[in-house]
Amino acid sequence: MYTCSLCGDSYTVSTPAAGHQMVTDASVEAGCMTDGKTEGSHCAVCNAVIVEQKRIPASGHHYRTDLVPATMQRDGSVTRICVSCRAVESRDAILRVQSIKLSKVSYTYNGKIKKPGITVTDSQGSVLKEGMDYTLAYPKNAKDVGVYKINIQFTGNYSGTMAESFTIKPQSVSISKLSPKKGGFAVKWKKQKQNLSGYEISYSTSRKFTKKTTRSVTSGKGSATSKSVTKLKAGKKYYVRLRAFRTVKEGGKTKRLYSAWSKQKNVTVKK
């Protein structure tokens, strides 16, 4: 309103409204445990709400399971973790494999297939389960004299492979006849069905087979049934024993698998 200072007349001049000055209120993404908001707006002058922001409910955690398998060298873990915010719900340790034991590592040949049992334990002594934690691959037809390997493949919460060995040794051979000869003696034994590489004859002037008094000779044929020992002292008494062997390869090296010694017999060399 305007008023004249001379005559006192007055009048009013109207000013149009300026209108809202809109400011955008940014949206807020909802989290796993916190609510979000939609985009909105308000007036920068009077603060009036132009577009109301609406609540977006929290989505909640969405978990996945992360597995780090245990091995013979290190522990593993099973972790439940949120795919969105990486929050960890749980983390359980998987203890490393500590021992693999065969129920038997050495057999004596009897013509039957050998299949030793296996026990696998973790670092606290708990027994792992075959079929769930590992699988076994046994050698085929493990009945002849030799060295055999069982392959262990870890699975599930475990990873890696191992191999354990067992042996089948020759059956002991008995002396069927021990005959004196001039300057020596002859040893005889029965023909064997087992697969052999040869025989070792040990003879000594001591019934205890002491190192200083004992000598040995070998027969390099598995099919042999006798062996003569010569160049011995006439009239001297010797104690004799016999064992069978088979030559095999293990780890790139050649070794002999021996049977147990036979019962000893004695003979006196002829003059």
Side-chain angles (χ1 to χ4, degrees):
M1 179 183 290
Y2 295 90
T3 302
C4 180
S5 59
L6 299 176
C7 66
D9 285 345
S10 62
Y11 64 94
T12 300
V13 178
S14 62
T15 303
H20 291 305
Q21 295 185 18
M22 189 179 72
V23 175
T24 299
D25 299 319
S27 62
V28 178
E29 187 177 355
C32 295
M33 303 302 292
T34 56
D35 292 343
K37 295 179 181 179
T38 60
E39 185 181 279
S41 60
H42 69 279
C43 178
V45 178
C46 67
N47 232 16
V49 173
I50 299 171
V51 177
E52 183 181 4
Q53 288 183 289
K54 294 182 179 180
R55 170 179 168 271
I56 302 173
S59 61
H61 291 303
H62 297 281
Y63 291 104
R64 73 163 184 258
T65 300
D66 288 347
L67 171 65
V68 178
T71 66
M72 292 286 291
Q73 293 76 34
R74 57 172 173 77
D75 291 343
S77 63
V78 177
T79 304
R80 285 262 298 164
I81 188 170
C82 179
V83 297
S84 300
C85 69
R86 309 294 294 174
V88 175
E89 181 190 47
S90 63
R91 180 177 283 118
D92 298 318
I94 305 170
L95 300 178
R96 67 181 179 85
V97 179
Q98 181 161 298
S99 71
I100 302 171
K101 291 184 179 180
L102 274 62
S103 59
K104 199 169 183 179
V105 296
S106 180
Y107 293 88
T108 299
Y109 173 85
N110 63 0
K112 296 180 180 180
I113 292 176
K114 307 298 185 291
K115 190 177 180 181
I118 288 184
T119 301
V120 183
T121 56
D122 65 22
S123 57
Q124 287 190 349
S126 296
V127 178
L128 275 62
K129 293 182 179 180
E130 182 184 353
M132 183 174 76
D133 300 319
Y134 63 91
T135 58
L136 300 174
Y138 281 92
K140 294 181 180 180
N141 206 32
K143 64 180 180 180
D144 202 2
V145 176
V147 179
Y148 299 90
K149 286 186 177 180
I150 304 170
N151 292 314
I152 302 120
Q153 175 68 60
F154 291 101
T155 186
N157 289 342
Y158 301 86
S159 68
T161 57
M162 288 292 292
E164 293 292 325
S165 300
F166 66 95
T167 60
I168 301 176
K169 295 181 179 181
Q171 196 174 43
S172 61
V173 182
S174 60
I175 298 172
S176 58
K177 190 174 183 180
L178 182 61
S179 305
K181 295 175 62 177
K182 188 174 181 180
F185 59 82
V187 186
K188 289 188 177 182
W189 58 90
K190 291 182 179 180
K191 188 175 181 179
Q192 301 297 305
K193 293 182 179 179
Q194 52 195 317
N195 191 351
L196 301 173
S197 301
Y199 302 86
E200 181 179 6
I201 296 96
S202 176
Y203 56 96
S204 174
T205 53
S206 168
R207 67 171 64 246
K208 293 183 179 180
F209 286 86
T210 60
K211 188 175 181 180
K212 288 184 178 181
T213 63
T214 303
R215 299 289 183 271
S216 66
V217 294
T218 58
S219 170
K221 292 183 179 180
S223 58
T225 57
S226 65
K227 177 74 175 178
S228 293
V229 178
T230 59
K231 298 181 180 180
L232 301 181
K233 289 183 180 181
K236 196 74 174 177
K237 184 178 183 179
Y238 287 90
Y239 297 90
V240 183
R241 61 186 181 179
L242 169 72
R243 66 179 177 179
F245 67 84
R246 184 178 182 186
T247 303
V248 298
K249 283 190 175 181
E250 184 179 18
K253 294 182 179 181
T254 300
K255 62 182 289 187
R256 284 180 177 179
L257 298 178
Y258 288 99
S259 72
W261 285 109
S262 67
K263 289 184 178 180
Q264 66 184 46
K265 291 188 175 184
N266 63 78
V267 64
T268 301
V269 176
K270 286 184 177 180
K271 294 182 180 180

